[in-house]
Amino acid sequence: MKSQKEAVDKALLFLNERLPTESEIGLILGTGLGDLAQRIDIQERIPYSEIPCFPVSTVESHSGVLLSGTLGGKRVLALQGRFHLYEGYSANEVTFPIRVLAGLGVQTLLISNAAGGLDPSYKAGDLMMLTDHINLQGENPLEGPNVDTWGPRFPDMSAPYDDAMAAMVDEIAIEHGLSIHRGIYAAVMGPNLETRAEYKLLRSIGADAVGMSTVPEVIVARHMGLRVAAFSVITDECIPELLKPVSLDDILAAARRAAPSLSLVFEGIVSRL
Ligand code: HPA
């Protein structure tokens, strides 16, 4: 069996031919936020299926394309479509694209996701910037032999989210009149949404939002020394006493409502980097 390092190197060999110009900024466009891609002046669109060893997405709401282009005057690489543990991918597969972005020269990573709001003041369609996270997925992408050239065996997680980018977000919020929550994201395996009792538990341990992604990618990005900013679009309100059934359509609709604001935030950060 090929090691993850060998697989990443193979993908890089291919991509270094296709993408001659370096990009220092990587974007992960989560659920319903593929529209963000419309603000990118795209030079290359590479379907994941063309990249050697790259996993291929199984969820319809996530297309699988690597975009290379410019946003806010900077060169960016954007992953349109991500992989989730609940699809059956291993934590190594879920984070393969992050290893590849880092290998292509990316030093700063901006991530978006859809999440349920646990803080009672959060409404569907709101945005939350992650200040910290709680990994409840029961998996870790760093499990197994460490690749020392990628990062340390025991990476620090005292500050996974970058303070300088958080300060930029304050400026951007004022500039565009946006109100952006700051909170703690709990990552669960999914794919079912939580029970009332689980939402109550998550709130009691300090989480402000809950979702099924992002944390594996952040762990790997930090392992490789990338600077990270991550944002949740609150797609449903998870207050145990007031809980109503939610459909995927409701979740996608809320994500779409927030997409214009999140686009402004991403573009604002990129232009300030
Ligand atoms: N729970 C977990 N993941 C989610 C939710 C939720 O309520 N909403 C969107 N992603």
Side-chain angles (χ1 to χ4, degrees), residues 114-116 188 193-194 199 210-212 235-236 238 251:
V188 294
L193 301 185
E194 289 66 38
Y199 286 133
V210 53
M212 305 170 194
T235 53
D236 49 311
C238 308
I251 288 181

Side-chain angles (χ1 to χ4, degrees), residues 90-194:
S90 67
N92 265 344
E93 287 170 314
V94 167
T95 53
F96 187 88
I98 310 304
R99 300 284 186 202
V100 169
L101 288 187
L104 290 170
V106 164
Q107 289 169 18
T108 302
L109 188 63
L110 308 188
I111 303 179
S112 71
N113 63 47
L118 297 164
D119 180 321
S121 71
Y122 292 6
K123 299 294 167 224
D126 284 0
L127 288 180
M128 182 190 91
M129 175 168 54
L130 276 67
T131 54
D132 209 340
H133 69 232
I134 303 173
N135 182 9
L136 298 173
Q137 294 193 308
E139 299 223 12
N140 194 300
L142 306 181
E143 188 186 324
N146 188 55
V147 179
D148 294 337
T149 50
W150 278 347
R153 173 73 290 187
F154 300 106
D156 183 71
M157 284 291 151
S158 60
Y161 302 93
D162 188 73
D163 280 344
M165 283 195 277
M168 293 174 196
V169 171
D170 287 337
E171 279 179 24
I172 296 161
I174 292 168
E175 186 181 328
H176 296 287
L178 304 173
S179 127
I180 301 172
H181 305 295
R182 289 182 177 211
I184 298 172
Y185 175 93
V188 294
M189 169 71 88
N192 59 283
L193 301 185
E194 289 66 38

Side-chain angles (χ1 to χ4, degrees), residues 29-45:
L29 310 178
T31 304
L33 303 170
D35 307 3
L36 216 60
Q38 283 164 12
R39 300 180 77 97
I40 303 174
D41 181 10
I42 297 169
Q43 269 109 48
E44 281 276 359
R45 290 181 104 258

